[in-house]
Amino acid sequence: VNNGFKHSFPGTYSKSTINSFSKGSVIVDMTLIFNKESAVPTESRAVQVLKDAIKDLITFLDVDTTTIVA
């Protein structure tokens, strides 16, 4: 996650924090942290960046991208 967002938002993306995991299929609730409020992407842009990062193998995650929501 961090690699994908750092790649798409260099200088403005700070980090992600995991809020919780859920049982069953691994469901992750996380918060994305940016350096400036004005740098925070829209929900749809954040979802697309994560999907693109997974597709482009910027991240090591094996994710069903149809399940990503913001």
Side-chain angles (χ1 to χ4, degrees):
V1 172
N2 285 332
N3 288 341
F5 279 92
K6 283 181 182 179
H7 176 77
S8 294
F9 302 100
T12 60
Y13 175 75
S14 180
K15 63 182 177 178
S16 62
T17 58
I18 304 295
N19 301 320
S20 66
F21 290 103
S22 298
K23 290 184 178 182
S25 296
V26 178
I27 299 170
V28 180
D29 175 32
M30 72 174 62
T31 300
L32 303 174
I33 301 170
F34 290 80
N35 297 329
K36 295 186 239 177
E37 188 173 335
S38 63
V40 176
T42 64
E43 290 176 359
S44 61
R45 177 74 176 127
V47 167
Q48 192 59 52
V49 166
L50 185 53
K51 287 180 177 182
D52 290 347
I54 292 165
K55 182 186 79 176
D56 296 338
L57 301 175
I58 294 170
T59 182
F60 65 91
L61 302 173
D62 183 19
V63 176
D64 176 359
T65 58
T66 63
T67 64
I68 298 172
V69 294

mmCIF file of all heavy atoms in Angstrom, residues 19-58:
data_model
loop_
_atom_site.group_PDB
_atom_site.id
_atom_site.type_symbol
_atom_site.label_atom_id
_atom_site.label_comp_id
_atom_site.label_asym_id
_atom_site.label_seq_id
_atom_site.Cartn_x
_atom_site.Cartn_y
_atom_site.Cartn_z
ATOM 1 N N ASN A 19 -6.244 -0.083 10.893
ATOM 2 C CA ASN A 19 -7.200 0.110 11.982
ATOM 3 C C ASN A 19 -7.712 -1.222 12.510
ATOM 4 O O ASN A 19 -7.914 -1.377 13.711
ATOM 5 C CB ASN A 19 -8.376 0.962 11.514
ATOM 6 C CG ASN A 19 -7.922 2.318 11.030
ATOM 7 O OD1 ASN A 19 -7.043 2.942 11.605
ATOM 8 N ND2 ASN A 19 -8.499 2.768 9.935
ATOM 9 N N SER A 20 -7.939 -2.180 11.595
ATOM 10 C CA SER A 20 -8.429 -3.487 12.026
ATOM 11 C C SER A 20 -8.338 -4.494 10.892
ATOM 12 O O SER A 20 -8.234 -4.134 9.725
ATOM 13 C CB SER A 20 -9.873 -3.381 12.503
ATOM 14 O OG SER A 20 -10.730 -3.043 11.425
ATOM 15 N N PHE A 21 -8.366 -5.776 11.292
ATOM 16 C CA PHE A 21 -8.503 -6.906 10.377
ATOM 17 C C PHE A 21 -9.791 -7.620 10.758
ATOM 18 O O PHE A 21 -10.177 -7.635 11.928
ATOM 19 C CB PHE A 21 -7.333 -7.897 10.525
ATOM 20 C CG PHE A 21 -6.022 -7.396 10.033
ATOM 21 C CD1 PHE A 21 -5.051 -6.961 10.922
ATOM 22 C CD2 PHE A 21 -5.734 -7.375 8.678
ATOM 23 C CE1 PHE A 21 -3.830 -6.514 10.475
ATOM 24 C CE2 PHE A 21 -4.512 -6.920 8.213
ATOM 25 C CZ PHE A 21 -3.556 -6.495 9.120
ATOM 26 N N SER A 22 -10.452 -8.243 9.783
ATOM 27 C CA SER A 22 -11.661 -9.013 10.063
ATOM 28 C C SER A 22 -11.434 -10.472 9.693
ATOM 29 O O SER A 22 -10.637 -10.776 8.797
ATOM 30 C CB SER A 22 -12.847 -8.467 9.268
ATOM 31 O OG SER A 22 -13.126 -7.144 9.643
ATOM 32 N N LYS A 23 -12.163 -11.371 10.355
ATOM 33 C CA LYS A 23 -12.056 -12.809 10.097
ATOM 34 C C LYS A 23 -12.619 -13.164 8.733
ATOM 35 O O LYS A 23 -13.316 -12.381 8.103
ATOM 36 C CB LYS A 23 -12.815 -13.586 11.173
ATOM 37 C CG LYS A 23 -12.165 -13.545 12.524
ATOM 38 C CD LYS A 23 -12.943 -14.414 13.486
ATOM 39 C CE LYS A 23 -12.269 -14.432 14.837
ATOM 40 N NZ LYS A 23 -12.989 -15.311 15.772
ATOM 41 N N GLY A 24 -12.339 -14.406 8.344
ATOM 42 C CA GLY A 24 -12.790 -14.903 7.045
ATOM 43 C C GLY A 24 -11.769 -14.505 6.007
ATOM 44 O O GLY A 24 -10.578 -14.623 6.235
ATOM 45 N N SER A 25 -12.239 -14.050 4.877
ATOM 46 C CA SER A 25 -11.306 -13.462 3.925
ATOM 47 C C SER A 25 -10.662 -12.292 4.659
ATOM 48 O O SER A 25 -11.304 -11.643 5.470
ATOM 49 C CB SER A 25 -12.041 -12.932 2.700
ATOM 50 O OG SER A 25 -12.656 -13.977 1.999
ATOM 51 N N VAL A 26 -9.420 -12.044 4.396
ATOM 52 C CA VAL A 26 -8.756 -10.965 5.126
ATOM 53 C C VAL A 26 -9.312 -9.634 4.657
ATOM 54 O O VAL A 26 -9.202 -9.261 3.501
ATOM 55 C CB VAL A 26 -7.231 -11.011 4.922
ATOM 56 C CG1 VAL A 26 -6.566 -9.860 5.655
ATOM 57 C CG2 VAL A 26 -6.676 -12.337 5.402
ATOM 58 N N ILE A 27 -9.942 -8.946 5.576
ATOM 59 C CA ILE A 27 -10.497 -7.625 5.309
ATOM 60 C C ILE A 27 -9.719 -6.637 6.154
ATOM 61 O O ILE A 27 -9.572 -6.817 7.361
ATOM 62 C CB ILE A 27 -11.999 -7.570 5.666
ATOM 63 C CG1 ILE A 27 -12.761 -8.579 4.809
ATOM 64 C CG2 ILE A 27 -12.535 -6.163 5.474
ATOM 65 C CD1 ILE A 27 -14.186 -8.781 5.237
ATOM 66 N N VAL A 28 -9.191 -5.627 5.512
ATOM 67 C CA VAL A 28 -8.360 -4.644 6.197
ATOM 68 C C VAL A 28 -9.042 -3.288 6.160
ATOM 69 O O VAL A 28 -9.449 -2.821 5.100
ATOM 70 C CB VAL A 28 -6.969 -4.540 5.529
ATOM 71 C CG1 VAL A 28 -6.108 -3.512 6.233
ATOM 72 C CG2 VAL A 28 -6.285 -5.888 5.486
ATOM 73 N N ASP A 29 -9.149 -2.677 7.317
ATOM 74 C CA ASP A 29 -9.628 -1.296 7.418
ATOM 75 C C ASP A 29 -8.392 -0.464 7.718
ATOM 76 O O ASP A 29 -7.687 -0.723 8.698
ATOM 77 C CB ASP A 29 -10.660 -1.175 8.541
ATOM 78 C CG ASP A 29 -11.105 0.264 8.767
ATOM 79 O OD1 ASP A 29 -11.148 1.041 7.790
ATOM 80 O OD2 ASP A 29 -11.394 0.611 9.924
ATOM 81 N N MET A 30 -8.100 0.490 6.846
ATOM 82 C CA MET A 30 -6.897 1.294 7.040
ATOM 83 C C MET A 30 -7.180 2.762 6.792
ATOM 84 O O MET A 30 -8.173 3.119 6.167
ATOM 85 C CB MET A 30 -5.764 0.813 6.142
ATOM 86 C CG MET A 30 -5.935 1.134 4.689
ATOM 87 S SD MET A 30 -4.514 0.702 3.679
ATOM 88 C CE MET A 30 -4.456 -1.041 3.902
ATOM 89 N N THR A 31 -6.281 3.591 7.288
ATOM 90 C CA THR A 31 -6.341 5.034 7.072
ATOM 91 C C THR A 31 -5.104 5.449 6.303
ATOM 92 O O THR A 31 -3.993 5.047 6.646
ATOM 93 C CB THR A 31 -6.384 5.773 8.425
ATOM 94 O OG1 THR A 31 -7.548 5.337 9.143
ATOM 95 C CG2 THR A 31 -6.438 7.278 8.234
ATOM 96 N N LEU A 32 -5.304 6.235 5.255
ATOM 97 C CA LEU A 32 -4.194 6.793 4.487
ATOM 98 C C LEU A 32 -3.904 8.183 5.030
ATOM 99 O O LEU A 32 -4.820 8.978 5.215
ATOM 100 C CB LEU A 32 -4.550 6.873 3.007
ATOM 101 C CG LEU A 32 -4.966 5.557 2.358
ATOM 102 C CD1 LEU A 32 -5.439 5.818 0.929
ATOM 103 C CD2 LEU A 32 -3.845 4.543 2.392
ATOM 104 N N ILE A 33 -2.631 8.481 5.266
ATOM 105 C CA ILE A 33 -2.245 9.763 5.857
ATOM 106 C C ILE A 33 -1.407 10.548 4.859
ATOM 107 O O ILE A 33 -0.412 10.045 4.334
ATOM 108 C CB ILE A 33 -1.477 9.534 7.176
ATOM 109 C CG1 ILE A 33 -2.379 8.762 8.142
ATOM 110 C CG2 ILE A 33 -1.026 10.863 7.780
ATOM 111 C CD1 ILE A 33 -1.690 8.258 9.373
ATOM 112 N N PHE A 34 -1.831 11.799 4.614
ATOM 113 C CA PHE A 34 -1.133 12.692 3.694
ATOM 114 C C PHE A 34 -0.588 13.885 4.473
ATOM 115 O O PHE A 34 -1.091 14.221 5.548
ATOM 116 C CB PHE A 34 -2.087 13.160 2.590
ATOM 117 C CG PHE A 34 -2.454 12.063 1.632
ATOM 118 C CD1 PHE A 34 -3.436 11.134 1.957
ATOM 119 C CD2 PHE A 34 -1.803 11.944 0.421
ATOM 120 C CE1 PHE A 34 -3.759 10.110 1.087
ATOM 121 C CE2 PHE A 34 -2.122 10.928 -0.456
ATOM 122 C CZ PHE A 34 -3.102 10.011 -0.122
ATOM 123 N N ASN A 35 0.445 14.527 3.924
ATOM 124 C CA ASN A 35 1.099 15.653 4.595
ATOM 125 C C ASN A 35 0.233 16.904 4.646
ATOM 126 O O ASN A 35 0.388 17.723 5.540
ATOM 127 C CB ASN A 35 2.427 15.987 3.908
ATOM 128 C CG ASN A 35 3.408 14.850 4.007
ATOM 129 O OD1 ASN A 35 3.408 14.099 4.975
ATOM 130 N ND2 ASN A 35 4.245 14.709 3.003
ATOM 131 N N LYS A 36 -0.659 17.068 3.662
ATOM 132 C CA LYS A 36 -1.516 18.253 3.608
ATOM 133 C C LYS A 36 -2.936 17.822 3.299
ATOM 134 O O LYS A 36 -3.153 16.926 2.485
ATOM 135 C CB LYS A 36 -1.070 19.201 2.494
ATOM 136 C CG LYS A 36 0.276 19.824 2.655
ATOM 137 C CD LYS A 36 0.484 20.841 1.558
ATOM 138 C CE LYS A 36 1.702 20.489 0.754
ATOM 139 N NZ LYS A 36 1.921 21.383 -0.357
ATOM 140 N N GLU A 37 -3.893 18.466 3.930
ATOM 141 C CA GLU A 37 -5.293 18.149 3.652
ATOM 142 C C GLU A 37 -5.618 18.363 2.179
ATOM 143 O O GLU A 37 -6.379 17.608 1.583
ATOM 144 C CB GLU A 37 -6.205 18.997 4.530
ATOM 145 C CG GLU A 37 -7.656 18.588 4.434
ATOM 146 C CD GLU A 37 -8.542 19.314 5.426
ATOM 147 O OE1 GLU A 37 -8.045 19.758 6.476
ATOM 148 O OE2 GLU A 37 -9.721 19.455 5.126
ATOM 149 N N SER A 38 -5.021 19.363 1.572
ATOM 150 C CA SER A 38 -5.288 19.646 0.159
ATOM 151 C C SER A 38 -4.738 18.562 -0.769
ATOM 152 O O SER A 38 -5.107 18.504 -1.937
ATOM 153 C CB SER A 38 -4.700 20.999 -0.225
ATOM 154 O OG SER A 38 -3.294 20.985 -0.077
ATOM 155 N N ALA A 39 -3.874 17.680 -0.255
ATOM 156 C CA ALA A 39 -3.285 16.622 -1.071
ATOM 157 C C ALA A 39 -4.070 15.319 -1.017
ATOM 158 O O ALA A 39 -3.754 14.377 -1.738
ATOM 159 C CB ALA A 39 -1.846 16.360 -0.610
ATOM 160 N N VAL A 40 -5.089 15.258 -0.172
ATOM 161 C CA VAL A 40 -5.862 14.022 -0.021
ATOM 162 C C VAL A 40 -6.673 13.779 -1.296
ATOM 163 O O VAL A 40 -7.435 14.643 -1.726
ATOM 164 C CB VAL A 40 -6.803 14.112 1.202
ATOM 165 C CG1 VAL A 40 -7.679 12.875 1.300
ATOM 166 C CG2 VAL A 40 -5.989 14.305 2.477
ATOM 167 N N PRO A 41 -6.508 12.578 -1.906
ATOM 168 C CA PRO A 41 -7.261 12.292 -3.129
ATOM 169 C C PRO A 41 -8.728 11.978 -2.821
ATOM 170 O O PRO A 41 -9.084 11.680 -1.680
ATOM 171 C CB PRO A 41 -6.557 11.054 -3.689
ATOM 172 C CG PRO A 41 -6.013 10.371 -2.484
ATOM 173 C CD PRO A 41 -5.629 11.481 -1.534
ATOM 174 N N THR A 42 -9.545 12.028 -3.843
ATOM 175 C CA THR A 42 -10.935 11.606 -3.691
ATOM 176 C C THR A 42 -10.960 10.111 -3.399
ATOM 177 O O THR A 42 -9.977 9.397 -3.641
ATOM 178 C CB THR A 42 -11.736 11.869 -4.984
ATOM 179 O OG1 THR A 42 -11.182 11.060 -6.035
ATOM 180 C CG2 THR A 42 -11.734 13.333 -5.362
ATOM 181 N N GLU A 43 -12.097 9.633 -2.899
ATOM 182 C CA GLU A 43 -12.228 8.204 -2.618
ATOM 183 C C GLU A 43 -12.006 7.374 -3.877
ATOM 184 O O GLU A 43 -11.289 6.371 -3.845
ATOM 185 C CB GLU A 43 -13.602 7.903 -2.025
ATOM 186 C CG GLU A 43 -13.782 8.442 -0.627
ATOM 187 C CD GLU A 43 -15.190 8.217 -0.092
ATOM 188 O OE1 GLU A 43 -16.052 7.665 -0.810
ATOM 189 O OE2 GLU A 43 -15.416 8.592 1.066
ATOM 190 N N SER A 44 -12.587 7.795 -4.977
ATOM 191 C CA SER A 44 -12.448 7.026 -6.212
ATOM 192 C C SER A 44 -11.000 7.017 -6.704
ATOM 193 O O SER A 44 -10.523 6.000 -7.218
ATOM 194 C CB SER A 44 -13.393 7.540 -7.298
ATOM 195 O OG SER A 44 -13.110 8.882 -7.624
ATOM 196 N N ARG A 45 -10.299 8.121 -6.533
ATOM 197 C CA ARG A 45 -8.882 8.175 -6.941
ATOM 198 C C ARG A 45 -8.036 7.274 -6.053
ATOM 199 O O ARG A 45 -7.150 6.565 -6.538
ATOM 200 C CB ARG A 45 -8.373 9.619 -6.878
ATOM 201 C CG ARG A 45 -6.905 9.777 -7.209
ATOM 202 C CD ARG A 45 -6.625 9.628 -8.699
ATOM 203 N NE ARG A 45 -5.213 9.888 -8.924
ATOM 204 C CZ ARG A 45 -4.407 9.053 -9.573
ATOM 205 N NH1 ARG A 45 -4.871 7.942 -10.096
ATOM 206 N NH2 ARG A 45 -3.131 9.340 -9.722
ATOM 207 N N ALA A 46 -8.306 7.253 -4.758
ATOM 208 C CA ALA A 46 -7.555 6.388 -3.836
ATOM 209 C C ALA A 46 -7.759 4.917 -4.191
ATOM 210 O O ALA A 46 -6.797 4.136 -4.214
ATOM 211 C CB ALA A 46 -7.977 6.654 -2.399
ATOM 212 N N VAL A 47 -8.995 4.542 -4.496
ATOM 213 C CA VAL A 47 -9.282 3.163 -4.892
ATOM 214 C C VAL A 47 -8.535 2.827 -6.178
ATOM 215 O O VAL A 47 -7.909 1.771 -6.295
ATOM 216 C CB VAL A 47 -10.805 2.944 -5.062
ATOM 217 C CG1 VAL A 47 -11.095 1.629 -5.775
ATOM 218 C CG2 VAL A 47 -11.490 2.990 -3.709
ATOM 219 N N GLN A 48 -8.570 3.722 -7.151
ATOM 220 C CA GLN A 48 -7.907 3.462 -8.432
ATOM 221 C C GLN A 48 -6.398 3.347 -8.268
ATOM 222 O O GLN A 48 -5.767 2.491 -8.890
ATOM 223 C CB GLN A 48 -8.252 4.540 -9.461
ATOM 224 C CG GLN A 48 -7.838 4.165 -10.860
ATOM 225 C CD GLN A 48 -8.484 2.874 -11.333
ATOM 226 O OE1 GLN A 48 -9.706 2.722 -11.263
ATOM 227 N NE2 GLN A 48 -7.684 1.925 -11.795
ATOM 228 N N VAL A 49 -5.799 4.186 -7.450
ATOM 229 C CA VAL A 49 -4.351 4.117 -7.217
ATOM 230 C C VAL A 49 -3.981 2.759 -6.629
ATOM 231 O O VAL A 49 -3.007 2.127 -7.048
ATOM 232 C CB VAL A 49 -3.881 5.267 -6.288
ATOM 233 C CG1 VAL A 49 -2.475 5.024 -5.759
ATOM 234 C CG2 VAL A 49 -3.931 6.584 -7.047
ATOM 235 N N LEU A 50 -4.759 2.276 -5.660
ATOM 236 C CA LEU A 50 -4.464 0.977 -5.058
ATOM 237 C C LEU A 50 -4.643 -0.143 -6.069
ATOM 238 O O LEU A 50 -3.797 -1.038 -6.174
ATOM 239 C CB LEU A 50 -5.344 0.749 -3.831
ATOM 240 C CG LEU A 50 -5.060 -0.518 -3.034
ATOM 241 C CD1 LEU A 50 -3.587 -0.622 -2.639
ATOM 242 C CD2 LEU A 50 -5.946 -0.570 -1.808
ATOM 243 N N LYS A 51 -5.702 -0.098 -6.863
ATOM 244 C CA LYS A 51 -5.906 -1.114 -7.903
ATOM 245 C C LYS A 51 -4.759 -1.107 -8.907
ATOM 246 O O LYS A 51 -4.252 -2.164 -9.292
ATOM 247 C CB LYS A 51 -7.231 -0.879 -8.627
ATOM 248 C CG LYS A 51 -8.441 -1.238 -7.811
ATOM 249 C CD LYS A 51 -9.719 -0.987 -8.603
ATOM 250 C CE LYS A 51 -10.947 -1.399 -7.822
ATOM 251 N NZ LYS A 51 -12.182 -1.200 -8.598
ATOM 252 N N ASP A 52 -4.333 0.078 -9.331
ATOM 253 C CA ASP A 52 -3.232 0.185 -10.292
ATOM 254 C C ASP A 52 -1.928 -0.336 -9.693
ATOM 255 O O ASP A 52 -1.154 -1.004 -10.370
ATOM 256 C CB ASP A 52 -3.050 1.630 -10.750
ATOM 257 C CG ASP A 52 -4.186 2.126 -11.628
ATOM 258 O OD1 ASP A 52 -5.003 1.299 -12.103
ATOM 259 O OD2 ASP A 52 -4.274 3.353 -11.824
ATOM 260 N N ALA A 53 -1.675 -0.029 -8.426
ATOM 261 C CA ALA A 53 -0.457 -0.492 -7.772
ATOM 262 C C ALA A 53 -0.419 -2.013 -7.721
ATOM 263 O O ALA A 53 0.616 -2.635 -7.968
ATOM 264 C CB ALA A 53 -0.356 0.087 -6.365
ATOM 265 N N ILE A 54 -1.550 -2.616 -7.426
ATOM 266 C CA ILE A 54 -1.618 -4.080 -7.376
ATOM 267 C C ILE A 54 -1.421 -4.657 -8.767
ATOM 268 O O ILE A 54 -0.655 -5.600 -8.960
ATOM 269 C CB ILE A 54 -2.961 -4.527 -6.761
ATOM 270 C CG1 ILE A 54 -2.991 -4.140 -5.278
ATOM 271 C CG2 ILE A 54 -3.170 -6.018 -6.949
ATOM 272 C CD1 ILE A 54 -4.353 -4.199 -4.646
ATOM 273 N N LYS A 55 -2.080 -4.082 -9.753
ATOM 274 C CA LYS A 55 -1.973 -4.548 -11.135
ATOM 275 C C LYS A 55 -0.536 -4.416 -11.647
ATOM 276 O O LYS A 55 -0.021 -5.291 -12.323
ATOM 277 C CB LYS A 55 -2.925 -3.763 -12.031
ATOM 278 C CG LYS A 55 -2.926 -4.203 -13.480
ATOM 279 C CD LYS A 55 -3.786 -3.298 -14.329
ATOM 280 C CE LYS A 55 -2.969 -2.080 -14.580
ATOM 281 N NZ LYS A 55 -3.392 -1.046 -15.388
ATOM 282 N N ASP A 56 0.112 -3.306 -11.317
ATOM 283 C CA ASP A 56 1.461 -3.037 -11.801
ATOM 284 C C ASP A 56 2.544 -3.652 -10.924
ATOM 285 O O ASP A 56 3.724 -3.395 -11.119
ATOM 286 C CB ASP A 56 1.692 -1.534 -11.906
ATOM 287 C CG ASP A 56 0.791 -0.879 -12.939
ATOM 288 O OD1 ASP A 56 0.301 -1.587 -13.846
ATOM 289 O OD2 ASP A 56 0.573 0.340 -12.837
ATOM 290 N N LEU A 57 2.135 -4.407 -9.915
ATOM 291 C CA LEU A 57 3.059 -5.102 -9.011
ATOM 292 C C LEU A 57 3.971 -4.165 -8.243
ATOM 293 O O LEU A 57 5.092 -4.512 -7.902
ATOM 294 C CB LEU A 57 3.876 -6.150 -9.769
ATOM 295 C CG LEU A 57 3.060 -7.227 -10.465
ATOM 296 C CD1 LEU A 57 3.963 -8.127 -11.287
ATOM 297 C CD2 LEU A 57 2.251 -8.042 -9.463
ATOM 298 N N ILE A 58 3.506 -2.939 -7.983
ATOM 299 C CA ILE A 58 4.271 -2.032 -7.136
ATOM 300 C C ILE A 58 4.210 -2.537 -5.698
ATOM 301 O O ILE A 58 5.075 -2.285 -4.898
ATOM 302 C CB ILE A 58 3.728 -0.594 -7.247
ATOM 303 C CG1 ILE A 58 3.980 -0.077 -8.656
ATOM 304 C CG2 ILE A 58 4.362 0.327 -6.217
ATOM 305 C CD1 ILE A 58 3.298 1.223 -8.962
#
